[in-house]
Amino acid sequence: MVLLMNALILNCGSAQNKDLLGDLIRPFADGLTGAGAGVEIIDTDSMNIERCLECTADYFFESNGYCRIEDDMQIIHPKLKAADIWVFAASIDNESLYNNFKNFLDRLEPLFQMPPISINGDNYSNAGSNSTGKVVFISTSNAWGASQFNDIVKHVQNTAELFGKQYCGAITRPHASAITALEINDFPPKDIFIAARAAGKQLVQKGCIDQRHLQIISRPLVARKSFIRKISHGL
C-alpha cells in the first residue's frame, strides 16, 4: 500500500494521565493508518527535554535549523521535518503540565523558516513554505467544562500559523476520568472512540476534520453535579 502521508503523534502527557490520552490517541491513530497514512507515536514523558533558551527573543538571532540545546529534541526535530501531519497530545490538569507543553512547543523554534520578504513592501505569510502540512491537538482534562482548553488551543493554533501549517482542530475530552468510571460500570462511551477514529480517517481522506466528530468526542458524559460530587469524595 502506498502511504498517502506521514503523521507524527507526540504524546506529551505525564505518566499519571497517559492512559486517558491514549484512549483518544489510539482510535485517532487507527483512523489515520486505516486511511493509508504512516503513523509514529512518541511518548515524550520519558525523554530529556530541557527548558527553551528563547533564542529568537534576540532580534539578531538567525536559526541554522538546529537547536543549541543538545537533548532529545534533536531526535524529534528531524521527524517533524519529515511528517506531513503533526499531532500534539497533552493534558492540562495543572499549571506544571500546561507549562511543560508550552515549553515543548517553544522548542520547535529551530524548525522555523523566515518567509520571503518582498522588495515592494508586501508581507508574505509563512503558510506558503509548507502549505500541505497539518496540525491537530489532542487533550484531556479532569475539569468539567471545555473552556479550560481555550488558551492552550490558541497556543497550538498560533504554532500552526507560525510554521505555515493548516490547523485542523482540537480533539478535547473534558472530565476525562468519567470515561474510566463508565468503563468500570460496563457503560463505555463507544461513540467517542468511533468519532476519534473517524476524525483520523477523515483528516487523511479529506484534509480536514468535521466539527460533528469533535463535538461527539467532547460531549458531556455525566451530569455536572454528579461529577463534582464524586470528585469531591475522591471517587
Side-chain angles (χ1 to χ4, degrees):
M1 180 177 67
V2 178
L3 296 178
L4 299 178
M5 56 184 66
N6 293 310
L8 180 64
I9 301 177
L10 294 157
N11 186 349
C12 304
S14 65
Q16 65 190 33
N17 56 43
K18 194 166 291 183
D19 288 343
L20 293 174
L21 268 178
D23 284 341
L24 295 181
I25 291 173
R26 284 187 293 273
F28 182 74
D30 287 344
L32 292 173
T33 56
V39 177
E40 180 178 3
I41 301 176
I42 296 178
D43 291 333
T44 67
D45 185 52
S46 60
M47 303 181 79
N48 175 32
I49 299 177
E50 302 292 336
R51 303 301 298 177
C52 182
L53 298 178
E54 300 183 357
C55 299
T56 55
D58 181 352
Y59 183 80
F60 298 100
F61 174 78
E62 293 185 11
S63 173
N64 60 2
Y66 296 93
C67 186
R68 291 165 53 190
I69 303 175
E70 295 185 1
D71 61 4
D72 288 338
M73 288 301 291
Q74 306 287 350
I75 299 172
I76 294 175
H77 284 156
K79 292 181 180 293
L80 283 168
K81 287 181 180 179
D84 304 295
I85 302 173
W86 295 359
V87 181
F88 301 112
S91 291
I92 55 169
D93 279 326
N94 57 57
E95 187 175 358
S96 177
L97 291 172
Y98 185 93
N99 290 334
N100 285 343
F101 179 61
K102 287 182 65 178
N103 177 69
F104 182 87
L105 294 181
D106 290 342
R107 291 293 309 279
L108 304 183
E109 286 183 349
L111 302 179
F112 177 74
Q113 298 294 320
M114 284 293 293
I117 300 175
S118 171
I119 60 174
N120 62 9
D122 294 334
N123 293 323
Y124 287 102
S125 168
N126 196 38
S129 63
N130 193 354
S131 59
T132 60
K134 301 181 184 301
V135 172
V136 174
F137 181 47
I138 301 176
S139 187
T140 61
S141 171
N142 277 327
W144 168 258
S147 61
Q148 71 269 11
F149 295 107
N150 291 346
D151 287 346
I152 197 64
V153 165
K154 184 63 177 178
H155 204 72
V156 176
Q157 287 177 311
N158 290 339
T159 299
E161 181 178 356
L162 178 67
F163 289 99
K165 294 180 178 293
Q166 178 187 358
Y167 175 73
C168 296
I171 296 173
T172 58
R173 180 58 261 168
H175 53 282
S177 59
I179 292 179
T180 302
L182 290 172
E183 289 176 334
I184 291 175
N185 289 281
D186 295 324
F187 293 107
K190 295 181 180 179
D191 61 328
I192 288 177
F193 308 131
I194 292 173
R197 190 182 192 284
K201 183 177 180 180
Q202 188 179 53
L203 181 62
V204 177
Q205 293 181 336
K206 297 186 177 181
C208 63
I209 298 176
D210 195 310
Q211 283 295 316
R212 175 173 51 92
H213 298 316
L214 303 181
Q215 290 169 357
I216 291 173
I217 295 169
S218 62
R219 71 174 179 83
L221 292 177
V222 295
R224 184 175 184 274
K225 288 183 178 180
S226 175
F227 179 80
I228 293 175
R229 183 171 61 252
K230 289 180 181 297
I231 292 296
S232 66
H233 286 83
L235 301 178

